[in-house]
Amino acid sequence: MQQTLGGGLVLMLGNGSASYNYPDNNYPFRQDSTFLYFFGLDYEGLAAIIDIDNDQTIIFGDELTIDDIIWSGVQPTLAERSLAVGVNETRPMAMLSRHVELALEQQQPIHFVPPYRGHTILWLEQLLGTKVSTTPGDAFLKGMPVATPSLELCYNVADMRNHKSPEELEQLAEAVDITVTMHETAIRLVRPGMHEKDIAAAVGEVCQRLGYFFSFPTICTNHGETLHNHGYIHQLREGDMLLLDAGAENAMHYAGDCTTTMPVGREFTERQKSVYRILIDTYERAAAMLRPGITYRECHVAAWANIAAGLKELGIMKGDPMEAAEAGAVAMFMPHGLGHMMGLDVHDMENYGEVHVGYPRGAHKDPRFGFASLRLGRMLEPGFVFTVEPGIYFIPDLIDQWKAAGKFADFICYDELSHWRNFGGMRNEEDYLITPDGARRVGRKKPYTLDELAALRG
């Protein structure tokens, strides 16, 4: 990091508590992932600097007061916590601003990653004495009108965090194993007459009984064509499909992320099976492509082409499947990317900017609909952990808009598609690691084949 940053001071601010309706009623605390990665301290009210020029690392924070102890109990001191993670210099939080001020006076560049909480933005503005942007650019120097996050720091940290260590892989596997248990619970439980909220509650119980939390808000819906549906308001009926996109975050805050589409009744209808087979074939072909040296954009386009070929057999698409994929026509049925990086964040380091994590240095995302939602497009390297999650969706409003515009009429059979507009949507997702000679699933296999789903239903 020292060679590429060229010196300066790296400023890392931990998260504090966040209120959701009045000051003493807070969301569950979640430490900033960058701070966790470098310092491993899962406590509120901390900050740190890495002074590259002076080879110095300092953690800033305040000791508990008697009021804190009354409400939260006795905890280790700041010095004890810091020593446990290999840092032997600590300072009261009040000294942080002076330390930053001195660095600016000495014309040290200040490097920080993009903030994503309003409180952190205000804190940075107070420390740096100027407005703060959330878009990465040059490291901040005294006199600049706006402080921008350090693009070079983003690339450096992304390179570190993208390549998972053996210890991290153990944590990720644990999180995925819990996640798979969540999905198995839903498959066993779902029945006509239940509500989405019943399944969501049962899935949440799996996490909470282990003392863990969700890696993201659970999606549990019989309207899978709505990609992020968190309402849990619908009653489940015979003939429905339930899409569950849910993941656990383990005690070390590593994420799991899986999606299962399951029949609400004992099995899918024949029409549902015809699309589900395309989905699973697409998923397995995409997973089989994974290896070092291939770009994930290639995998994404191949997945689109496979969906186009399958829908062509059903009379919904026409023309050359690969041409349909490269043109973007398959975004009608899969408007999102094939997957995303995963680690301490379920969309790993997304606050740095998707293009700075999931694409080569200096690259730009393809702005076309569908392609623009591909979070990971770069060449795959050993140590990368990411999701593989193709989906097939029939979104009535999108169908109507594209049909009215005559969009991709060379590839989409709108007359036949009109008979499918209320079909819904489905997705299948598991998590993968790139190895030196290929790839492997992270954690244990999630049931997803027709036979596996039927066996769990009993």
Side-chain angles (χ1 to χ4, degrees):
M1 187 159 67
Q2 180 176 3
Q3 292 177 342
T4 53
L5 292 184
L9 184 148
V10 178
L11 176 61
M12 295 188 181
L13 303 182
N15 280 340
S17 59
S19 303
Y20 66 88
N21 61 346
Y22 60 88
D24 286 335
N25 200 22
N26 296 324
Y27 292 102
F29 173 70
R30 174 55 158 84
Q31 184 60 283
D32 174 74
S33 293
T34 303
F35 194 89
L36 267 178
Y37 183 82
F38 280 91
F39 297 101
L41 294 175
D42 197 11
Y43 307 100
E44 299 179 34
L46 299 175
I49 63 163
I50 301 172
D51 190 332
I52 299 171
D53 300 325
N54 298 299
D55 193 22
Q56 184 181 34
T57 299
I58 306 172
I59 293 175
F60 295 82
D62 294 322
E63 301 296 354
L64 297 181
T65 67
I66 188 62
D67 286 340
D68 295 325
I69 292 170
I70 289 170
W71 289 101
S72 304
V74 177
Q75 298 179 31
T77 67
L78 177 62
E80 289 169 340
R81 292 171 173 175
S82 299
L83 283 172
V85 296
V87 178
N88 57 18
E89 290 194 58
T90 61
R91 302 281 190 276
M93 185 61 76
M95 295 182 66
L96 176 63
S97 59
R98 182 55 184 157
H99 204 106
V100 173
E101 184 181 350
L102 287 172
L104 291 172
E105 289 175 358
Q106 295 166 11
Q107 286 295 300
Q108 279 189 285
I110 307 295
H111 304 268
F112 60 93
V113 297
Y116 51 89
R117 287 189 175 184
H119 175 269
T120 307
I121 294 172
L122 292 174
W123 191 6
L124 280 167
E125 289 180 345
Q126 182 183 41
L127 289 168
L128 302 175
T130 189
K131 287 292 184 182
V132 168
S133 168
T134 57
T135 303
D138 295 328
F140 178 67
L141 286 166
K142 187 175 182 178
M144 293 174 64
V146 177
T148 57
S150 169
L151 179 58
E152 196 61 41
L153 180 62
C154 289
Y155 279 131
N156 269 264
V157 179
D159 188 57
M160 286 186 256
R161 289 179 58 185
N162 273 340
H163 295 86
K164 302 299 188 288
S165 69
E167 294 82 5
E168 289 183 286
L169 293 173
E170 289 181 10
Q171 297 298 321
L172 283 161
E174 179 181 89
V176 172
D177 286 348
I178 301 163
T179 298
V180 171
T181 301
M182 294 162 67
H183 285 255
E184 291 171 336
T185 299
I187 296 166
R188 290 189 180 100
L189 184 65
V190 65
R191 294 290 187 277
M194 300 182 76
H195 289 76
E196 294 165 342
K197 61 186 177 182
D198 298 323
I199 308 301
V203 163
E205 184 182 14
V206 174
C207 272
Q208 292 174 321
R209 279 187 178 275
L210 293 168
Y212 300 154
F213 201 64
F214 304 112
S215 52
F216 58 94
T218 296
I219 299 165
C220 181
T221 180
N222 65 348
H223 284 275
E225 74 280 4
T226 303
L227 301 186
H228 283 182
N229 195 335
H230 300 109
Y232 316 144
I233 61 174
H234 301 111
Q235 186 173 28
L236 305 177
R237 303 161 300 178
E238 183 71 40
D240 280 352
M241 299 180 293
L242 182 72
L243 187 151
L244 176 68
D245 190 342
E249 182 177 282
N250 78 344
M252 294 294 288
H253 299 293
Y254 282 86
D257 185 7
C258 292
T259 306
T260 305
T261 305
M262 62 197 80
V264 170
R266 292 198 61 82
E267 60 180 4
F268 291 118
T269 67
E270 289 305 311
R271 194 178 222 205
Q272 290 166 350
K273 286 180 183 178
S274 67
V275 179
Y276 191 76
R277 290 188 182 101
I278 299 169
L279 174 70
I280 296 306
D281 183 64
T282 300
Y283 165 77
E284 291 180 341
R285 286 174 183 266
M289 291 179 69
L290 304 177
R291 65 182 186 278
I294 194 171
T295 70
Y296 209 49
R297 187 189 188 281
E298 292 175 77
C299 299
H300 172 84
V301 172
W304 266 1
N306 200 69
I307 290 170
L311 294 180
K312 183 177 179 179
E313 291 186 6
L314 297 180
I316 299 170
M317 293 196 75
K318 57 187 175 181
D320 181 83
M322 184 55 74
E323 289 181 9
E326 290 286 7
V330 192
M332 161 70 81
F333 307 99
M334 183 180 149
H336 60 75
L338 184 60
H340 51 79
M341 290 290 202
M342 192 180 79
L344 281 170
D345 306 308
V346 70
H347 289 183
D348 220 12
M349 299 169 280
E350 199 159 290
N351 60 303
Y352 300 0
E354 292 174 5
V355 72
H356 303 131
V357 177
Y359 285 78
R361 183 180 289 248
H364 299 280
K365 293 177 71 174
D366 188 328
R368 291 178 295 165
F369 181 78
F371 284 107
S373 296
L374 180 59
R375 292 181 168 94
L376 174 59
R378 65 185 291 177
M379 185 178 294
L380 301 179
E381 300 175 16
F384 283 13
V385 172
F386 53 92
T387 65
V388 179
E389 50 176 314
I392 303 175
Y393 315 90
F394 296 81
I395 305 169
D397 288 341
L398 186 62
I399 293 170
D400 292 344
Q401 184 186 82
W402 281 25
K403 181 179 180 180
K407 196 168 183 178
F408 295 119
D410 290 341
F411 297 112
I412 299 173
C413 302
Y414 284 104
D415 288 344
E416 177 60 27
L417 181 57
S418 66
H419 302 303
W420 294 78
R421 60 180 287 114
N422 295 317
F423 178 87
M426 53 177 62
R427 179 165 68 252
N428 189 72
E429 175 185 23
E430 289 187 288
D431 310 315
Y432 280 82
L433 163 72
I434 296 298
T435 63
D437 57 357
R440 66 170 174 83
R441 182 183 284 107
V442 175
R444 64 190 182 91
K445 183 181 185 296
K446 178 185 69 69
Y448 64 79
T449 68
L450 291 173
D451 288 343
E452 288 168 343
L453 295 176
L456 270 181
R457 289 299 298 271

